[in-house]
Structures are given as C-alpha cells and as structure tokens.
Amino acid sequence: MIHIEYTSRATSVRTAPTVCMHCAEPACASVCPADAIKIDADGVVLGAMAERCIGCGNCALACPFGVPKLHAEQHLMRKCDLCYDRTAIGQKPMCATVCPSGALFYGTREEVEDLRRARPLNHVLFGEQAVRTRNHLMAPGHADLLPIAGALTPPRSRAEQQLEEALW
Ligand code: SF4
Ligand code: SF4
C-alpha cells in the first residue's frame, strides 16, 4: 500500500506517491517495541504484523521518509511492502504496473540505467545522516548522495501531530 500526497491541492491535481524506500537499516523496524516489522530475505521491509502491532506510532515518527501511516481505529500501522503478495509470485508491484508515464519502475538498477538519462541514487542525506535504501530515486548529475532539505518532509496527519505532542 502506498499513499498519495497532493503537491498543491488548491491549484493542481498533481500528486506524489510515497513508497517505502526499504532502507538497508530500517529505522521503523529498529524502534518497534513489538517486533512487528519483519524484513524478508531479499531486504523487503514488510508492513506491520496485525497480531503484533499495538499502534504506538514509533515507526511513523522514526521513518525519515514519512512512510508509515497509523490507522487509529485498527491500532495498526500500514505501509508499502512492495506488494509482497504480487512480488512473491513474480509479478510487479501494482503501482509500477499501472503508472502510465513510467515514473515508478520496478526492476534492476541496470535496467533503469539503460532506460533513463537520470542516475539512480540510493544514498539519501538528511542533514549529516546518510540513509542507504534498496529503492532508488532518479536524480540528475553525478552526485553519489541525494540531500533532502527539512522543508521537504511530508506534512504529518492530525493523528500523528497529536501523538508527537503527547510524546514531547
Ligand atoms: S522508508 Fe521508512 S518505512 Fe520504509 S524501511 Fe525505511 S524507515 Fe521503514
Ligand atoms: S505502530 Fe505497530 S509497527 Fe509501528 S512501532 Fe508501533 S507496534 Fe511497531
């Protein structure tokens, strides 16, 4: 499951998908007190196990990309798991299957390098902290690191703001 953000709701229908970056050392899993977020043998960071997740929200606060979403009524975190039910049987994730412009691509790094002029990067810099991911973002130029400004952090939902206020 991915979620879609409107980039400027009042003036445009343009949207940006938020997919899990499948971090090499996922902060979401490391802060989970219930050990509800598992990583498979290929490095796919799975969604929360419903029987374990207690809806505490730690993962939503820890993720640098703003990916996990809390479903308060279900006490469950949900996030993109690369459509594990599809990829486990050799199919592409649904987002990459239906994207009409090919903005989302599922395949190897070598395949996407052959198709695009931009360069796939999987080293993202948040301030002084570098995060290595299994998903890649396409970026122009020859930089090895992709710096993310704090201002680009996606807005938090009301539930996440309340949780943050309660914790701090
Ligand atoms: S992008 Fe966020 S939710 Fe996905 S693995 Fe990294 S820390 Fe976890
Ligand atoms: S919301 Fe669920 S998956 Fe996320 S940290 Fe809390 S128990 Fe773990």
Side-chain angles (χ1 to χ4, degrees), residues 66-144:
V67 171
K69 292 292 173 197
L70 283 178
H71 289 250
E73 68 287 353
Q74 299 172 0
H75 301 289
L76 180 64
M77 178 278 280
R78 288 182 181 274
K79 75 168 190 71
C80 151
D81 63 2
L82 265 186
C83 287
Y84 196 70
D85 54 338
R86 293 172 60 84
T87 52
I89 56 172
Q91 295 183 352
K92 295 182 179 183
M94 187 55 80
C95 60
T97 305
V98 300
C99 178
S101 64
L104 294 166
F105 177 84
Y106 180 75
T108 66
R109 181 180 178 127
E110 291 70 30
E111 286 171 335
V112 81
E113 277 174 337
D114 285 345
L115 290 172
R116 308 277 174 86
R117 276 178 302 183
R119 187 155 178 246
L121 293 183
N122 68 334
H123 244 130
V124 183
L125 196 59
F126 293 90
E128 294 180 355
Q129 185 175 359
V131 176
R132 196 160 56 82
T133 63
R134 291 190 172 81
N135 270 357
H136 290 64
L137 297 168
M138 303 305 292
H142 299 287
D144 290 325

Side-chain angles (χ1 to χ4, degrees), residues 18-39:
T18 303
V19 300
C20 177
M21 297 300 290
H22 299 282
C23 302
E25 295 178 20
C28 58
S30 67
V31 300
C32 177
D35 195 22
I37 303 173
K38 300 295 184 185
I39 304 161

